[in-house]
Amino acid sequence: RKEVEQDPGPFNVPEGATVAFNCTYSNSASQSFFWYRQDCRKEPKLLMSVYSSGNEDGRFTAQLNRASQYISLLIRDSKLSDSATYLCVVILMDSSYKLIFGSGTRLLVRP
Amino acid sequence: DTEVTQTPKHLVMGMTNKKSLKCEQHMGHRAMYWYKQKAKKPPELMFVYSYEKLSINESVPSRFSPECPNSSLLNLHLHALQPEDSALYLCASSQAGTGNTGELFFGEGSRLTVL
């Protein structure tokens, strides 16, 4: 089983739609969680951190469910510019502080 | 613009060549990383340097040799590569140890083609 799993998609949605991605992780020692965004042929960039209480940044909402070991990202009112691959990232807070990337979920927002 | 600079942006090399990828950051980060990314796949961790010491080597073949000459520079020396090593090589930096917030700053990558 992969340490971090995501639905690869692609999710093909119209502008203005609401779309949600899930990510599951297998290591209960995972302590910190993030969503990164990667545009085609570009480097990944941090989108938002994910906190236990859930957090929101404009149209984006992230949630963490430690009991079920999954995190989610909700995008409301999708824009064309949201088209990208969304990578779930988990940090194991052992001595390595290793970041583990999920395989990514591709989002296509169409006009 | 990214604050992590990688050179060259593109590199084509034969299987007998020796080349190096370079990475530089001036954000005062003490953790630096090499990732390999194939098309439509997530970045795969290769090496981590923490305070200029190699802290993680993800069982990478010896034809890849990392070097961290100082806190701002990270190199990846390449020798006798195989065509399957063709990929985008991403350098990243972050705060180290307990200061690591999880935010990696990536360079734009060096796209390597091995003929």
Side-chain angles (χ1 to χ4, degrees):
Chain A
R1 185 183 170 189
K2 290 182 184 175
E3 289 188 89
V4 181
E5 293 201 66
Q6 294 182 249
D7 182 339
F11 285 63
N12 191 324
V13 302
E15 263 187 297
T18 295
V19 62
F21 309 137
N22 285 333
C23 166
T24 57
Y25 60 94
S26 60
N27 192 327
S28 58
S30 303
Q31 291 296 322
S32 298
F33 309 89
F34 307 87
W35 286 101
Y36 274 70
R37 169 192 170 134
Q38 186 170 24
D39 292 292
C40 189
R41 301 184 74 83
K42 295 282 193 180
E43 74 276 18
K45 291 187 179 176
L46 180 66
L47 178 66
M48 59 196 304
S49 303
V50 186
Y51 304 121
S52 296
S53 53
N55 49 299
E56 192 172 306
D57 183 1
R59 298 181 292 109
F60 298 84
T61 301
Q63 298 271 357
L64 166 63
N65 184 319
R66 284 190 186 273
S68 301
Q69 296 187 191
Y70 79 82
I71 69 174
S72 64
L73 178 67
L74 182 78
I75 305 176
R76 289 180 299 278
D77 189 23
S78 300
K79 310 290 184 194
L80 295 177
S81 57
D82 293 334
S83 297
T85 296
Y86 291 83
L87 298 156
C88 170
V89 178
V90 165
I91 291 187
L92 299 179
M93 285 299 187
D94 54 17
S95 58
S96 68
Y97 291 92
K98 194 161 80 169
L99 274 76
I100 302 171
F101 282 81
S103 54
T105 298
R106 193 157 163 241
L107 172 65
L108 300 171
V109 181
R110 62 181 189 271
Chain B
D1 284 341
T2 181
E3 295 180 74
V4 177
T5 305
Q6 288 188 244
T7 55
K9 288 194 179 349
H10 299 275
L11 177 64
V12 179
M13 61 186 289
M15 288 190 283
T16 58
N17 292 157
K18 281 186 183 182
K19 297 284 184 184
S20 297
L21 305 181
K22 297 185 183 301
C23 175
E24 188 169 2
Q25 58 88 15
H26 294 288
M27 294 180 281
H29 290 164
R30 301 304 292 277
M32 295 187 76
Y33 309 75
W34 280 114
Y35 282 85
K36 173 182 176 179
Q37 188 173 27
K38 303 279 269 185
K40 299 188 179 180
K41 297 286 187 183
E44 290 176 42
L45 183 64
M46 299 175 73
F47 302 104
V48 181
Y49 274 83
S50 182
Y51 298 100
E52 295 85 70
K53 290 190 181 352
L54 184 64
S55 60
I56 295 178
N57 176 340
E58 291 287 290
S59 303
V60 179
S62 60
R63 56 186 185 269
F64 295 92
S65 174
E67 179 197 17
C68 189
N70 61 54
S71 59
S72 301
L73 294 175
L74 184 66
N75 298 323
L76 186 63
H77 302 299
L78 315 171
H79 174 53
L81 296 193
Q82 304 295 311
E84 59 264 28
D85 296 323
S86 299
L88 180 68
Y89 288 84
L90 291 160
C91 172
S93 71
S94 74
Q95 302 285 356
T98 55
N100 189 341
T101 62
E103 183 169 11
L104 292 185
F105 292 80
F106 282 90
E108 293 181 343
S110 292
R111 193 164 295 280
L112 173 68
T113 302
V114 182
L115 301 176

